[in-house]
Structures are given as C-alpha cells and as structure tokens.
Amino acid sequence: MVFPRYMLLVLPLAALVAGCGSDNDDNDPLTGARSFRYQVTITNLSAGQPFSPAAVVIHRSQWQAFTLGNGASVELERLAESGDNEAFLAEAGADASVLATETGMGLILPGATAEIPASASGSSDSGFLLTWMSMPVNTNDGLVGIRGIDLSELSTGDTRTYLAITYDAGTEANSESADTVPGPAASGLAEGFNAARDDIRDAVYIHPGVVTLDDGLDTSTLEGIQRWHNPIARVRIERVQ
C-alpha cells in the first residue's frame, strides 16, 4: 500500500562504545574532505502504528525540521498527513546547511526494524547533526522522529541509542475518520495530503494520542491497538566510518 499522504524531546537510552577504529577515513587528496558513514537503525515500539518510510537528514544547526510551537512547513505537512517524504527531503536537500538526505525503502511495521545508511563529507564531523522523521500512518497528521543528534561525539565503531516520542503537525484536525486517516486502519481510502489546514492550533506540538472506537468515539476508524504510549520508537546510530 502506498501512502501518498521536533527543540524535539529525545530520551538518551544508552551510550555504547563498540570499539574505536582509525579515523583516517578516505581523505580526498584534492579537498581534504573525509567521508563519514553512519547506520541508522529504527525500531517501531508500537502495537499498531506503522511508520512511513524514514526521512533521514544530516545537517548543521542552521537547518531544522521544525520548531515546537511554530507552524509546520508545507513539506512537513505533506509528510505528516500522507507519509510521503519526497517533498520534505527535496526541501531539506536544497538548503546549504544540509549535507545529505536519505530515505527508507518502505513502511516500518509495528515491532519491526529498519536500517538506513547515511553518509556525509567534510574536513571534520564537527557540527554534524542527524534528524529522522516519519509519520505514524494511523493518525491524521502525526510525526515521530529525533532531531539534531550530535554526530561529532561518535568515533568509528561507536553507537548511541535514543528513544523518540510522537508529535502533531498541527495542520489537520484529529478526527480519525476513515476519510482522513491514510493508514491501513482506514483501508488506505483517505485523501492523504490536503493543503487546507483545519487544526485550530496550526503549530507543531506534542501529540496527545488517538481516541478510538474502543474509547467510545463512534466516528473514529481506529481501534485500541492503534493507541500507543511514548516512547514509540528506539533509534540506534552507529558510525561505521
């Protein structure tokens, strides 16, 4: 099924040093630039919320996916309402502060894990940050991810693990009806992205969770299995070169 339709709270879970290798990595003899490579491993901790294909960005501090309390960009809105990360990654990639963008290849199902390789070049990794964003697709305009993780703390072979919570893009009312939720709970029949914004907040905020049929909301297409408690995802970042 195709789904056309963060300061972020990040909870450090563990810091694991798996051995340090040499940092003399593939220097470009002309520019002196080095290649820094990472493996981003995302585990979906929910019972019934598939994540849309991951959007991974390596960037400097001048770029942000969003700011809590401010309105979402149209590109982020498209990701949050439809799960489509193409415009979000294109907008990021056009920014001079963005070093690299990568996309996952498919949904991250509940309990499943996805691995996304990412790499960037520079004279050093000072100022390198990593952001990941996806949509929990059985929501109206939900987001899950981590933002601004400092990659310069990692030597080759090091790993860090984080827990992520959910956010609401604030662009679509959380009606949870079959025509507005693009995920499999609504049989994928919803419209996906809609440029009109009908959430009265029109700002990114921490997601309050969903209200389901099992909670007594007769118009909701969701059931109890689509509820979640934060954290909703575990993210492991390893520097492999």
Side-chain angles (χ1 to χ4, degrees), residues 83-109:
D84 183 355
N85 67 22
E86 184 176 357
F88 176 78
L89 289 174
E91 179 274 336
D95 192 291
S97 299
V98 170
L99 304 169
T101 63
E102 297 290 344
T103 182
M105 299 309 294
L107 292 176
I108 309 174
L109 298 177

Side-chain angles (χ1 to χ4, degrees), residues 21-206:
S22 170
D23 281 344
N24 297 320
D25 302 317
D26 289 355
N27 287 27
D28 186 310
L30 297 178
T31 67
R34 298 160 53 192
S35 178
F36 299 87
R37 300 181 183 179
Y38 308 90
Q39 182 87 309
V40 182
T41 303
I42 301 164
T43 301
N44 185 335
L45 302 178
S46 77
Q49 285 288 345
F51 299 160
S52 66
V56 175
V57 183
I58 299 179
H59 59 96
R60 301 193 183 277
S61 60
Q62 291 84 355
W63 181 88
Q64 298 183 69
F66 62 79
T67 300
L68 281 173
N70 290 353
S73 67
V74 173
E75 294 81 9
L76 184 69
E77 178 185 8
R78 186 178 293 276
L79 170 58
E81 293 183 8
S82 70
D84 183 355
N85 67 22
E86 184 176 357
F88 176 78
L89 289 174
E91 179 274 336
D95 192 291
S97 299
V98 170
L99 304 169
T101 63
E102 297 290 344
T103 182
M105 299 309 294
L107 292 176
I108 309 174
L109 298 177
T113 294
E115 295 182 345
I116 300 95
S119 62
S121 296
S123 58
S124 77
D125 59 356
S126 178
F128 280 22
L129 305 174
L130 183 140
T131 289
W132 154 60
M133 300 299 299
S134 289
M135 176 195 186
V137 298
N138 288 319
T139 65
N140 283 96
D141 58 341
L143 294 163
V144 56
I146 56 174
R147 189 185 70 151
I149 300 300
D150 188 353
L151 297 176
S152 68
E153 297 178 350
L154 299 174
S155 297
T156 302
D158 286 356
T159 66
R160 298 289 187 273
T161 303
Y162 302 87
L163 295 174
I165 68 171
T166 46
Y167 296 84
D168 193 308
T171 59
E172 183 173 291
N174 294 334
S175 63
E176 296 159 9
S177 58
D179 61 332
T180 63
V181 173
S187 302
L189 301 177
E191 64 183 358
F193 169 70
N194 186 329
R197 299 191 177 191
D198 60 359
D199 188 319
I200 61 173
R201 298 187 68 165
D202 194 17
V204 183
Y205 56 96
I206 296 173

